[in-house]
Amino acid sequence: MIEVNNLTRYYGEKPAISDVTFRVNKGEILGLLGPNAAGKTTTMRILTCFMPPTSGSAKVGGYDIFEQSMDIRRITGYLPENPPLYHEMSVNDYLGFVARLKGVSKKNLSREVDTVVQKTSIGDVRQRLIGKLSKGYKQRVGLAQSLLNNPQIVILDEPTVGLDPKQIIEIRELIKNLAGEHTVILSSHILPEIEQTCERVVIINDGKVVAEDRVDDLARRMRGGERQILKIEGSREAVEKAVHSVSGTSAVQIRAGSEQIWDVVVESESDLRRQLAKAVTAAELGLLELRSEQFTLEDVFLKLTMKEEN
C-alpha cells in the first residue's frame, strides 16, 4: 500500500532524512519510532505531499508522490502533531467544512460526519466550540477530520502527545480499531505507544532507518541469545561452582543480595533454565527464583539509537 525508496530530504546542507526505505502493507498499522528530530515528521510530510523529497521516490496507494500528489491527498487522512483546528467553530461545523474540502457530496455530508463522530466518540461535544474543548477532545476532533471521506490511508504524527493517561488509552484504542479497514502509519517517540498499538515498527534515528520488523521479532532478533535471572541462597563459592558447572553459558554475573542470597544473571545462546535448576538443587542450594528475561522494545531502541550516536 505504501512503498518508500531511498527518500532523502535536505534542509540547507543538513539531511533531515537520508535513504529512508520501508513498506507498509494494506490494512496494517506501522509504527515509525524514533527520538525527537529523528526525521519522522519530515517522512510523514513527504508521504502526505506536504513537501517534496530532495531525492528518492515513494508510492502511496499506488500513486507517485511527484506525479500524482492530488490522488494521494484524496485517499489519505493526515493528523499532524498539532491538529489543524479552527477554535472559533463548533465541532459539527468544522467537520462539515473539512468534509466539503475533501469532496464529500452534499447528499452524503451529514452521514459522513455522523460516522466519524461515532468512531471517535465525540457525539457529546459536537455542538461545542472547539476552543472550549479539552486537549483530549481536540485530539479526537483532529482524528475525526483525518477519517472523513473514509481514506484508505491514515497518517498520524504523535497522536497522543500531551494527553493524560486515560486519554492516551482512549486514543490508542481508537487507532487500533482502524486496522484492517485503513492502512495506518503512526509516529511516536513513546515506546509503549508503538508496542501496544502497532504490528510492525520502523526505527529511525538521525534521519536513517536503523531497524524494521514486527515488534516481537525485532526484540527477539536483537537479543541474540537468552538471559536467565536467578536468586540463590547459599555460599558464594557454592553458587559459583553450581552455575559454572552448566555448559553453554556465555556470561555469568553474581551480585550480593541480602545475606547469603545471591542475584545471578546468566547469558547463553539457548534457554538453560532446566539445567541451571538441576545444578542448583543438586548442590543443595536454595533456588528462590528462576526466570527468563526478554528484551523489550525499549532495550532494542536504546541499543540501536545509542549505537548510531556513538
Side-chain angles (χ1 to χ4, degrees), residues 39 70 103 121 140 204 226 304:
M70 290 306 297
S121 301
R140 285 175 180 266
I204 185 169
E226 298 285 339
L304 289 170

Side-chain angles (χ1 to χ4, degrees), residues 155-295:
I155 295 180
L156 309 172
D157 192 0
E158 302 278 2
T160 62
V161 66
L163 302 185
D164 63 39
K166 182 176 182 294
Q167 293 167 340
I168 288 174
I169 292 171
E170 292 171 346
I171 295 295
R172 184 185 296 153
E173 288 303 311
L174 289 177
I175 295 169
K176 287 168 69 174
N177 289 334
L178 298 177
E181 185 178 352
H182 306 272
T183 300
V184 181
I185 296 181
L186 161 67
S187 86
S188 183
H189 64 279
I190 303 171
L191 293 161
E193 201 65 46
I194 299 297
E195 283 187 300
Q196 298 183 41
T197 308
C198 303
E199 302 164 42
R200 283 196 309 121
V201 60
V202 170
I203 298 179
I204 185 169
N205 185 54
D206 198 24
K208 299 178 181 179
V209 172
V210 294
E212 178 186 357
D213 210 333
R214 292 185 63 83
V215 172
D216 294 340
D217 291 341
L218 181 61
R220 191 178 302 114
R221 179 160 59 86
M222 291 301 300
R223 184 176 60 202
E226 298 285 339
R227 182 188 294 162
Q228 288 82 210
I229 311 298
L230 303 91
K231 193 177 290 289
I232 305 173
E233 184 177 19
S235 69
R236 183 183 179 95
E237 293 76 15
V239 170
E240 287 181 346
K241 183 177 179 180
V243 173
H244 284 292
S245 70
V246 176
S247 62
T249 60
S250 57
V252 176
Q253 299 176 35
I254 300 177
R255 299 185 297 270
S258 56
E259 186 176 354
Q260 290 294 297
I261 295 178
W262 306 90
D263 295 320
V264 181
V265 179
V266 176
E267 296 182 13
S268 59
E269 293 298 320
S270 58
D271 189 344
L272 297 179
R273 284 177 295 175
R274 189 181 300 276
Q275 295 92 317
L276 287 166
K278 184 176 180 179
V280 170
T281 54
E284 298 184 349
L285 298 169
L287 182 58
L288 306 181
E289 180 181 348
L290 173 58
R291 59 186 170 86
S292 179
E293 185 178 76
Q294 299 287 323
F295 264 48

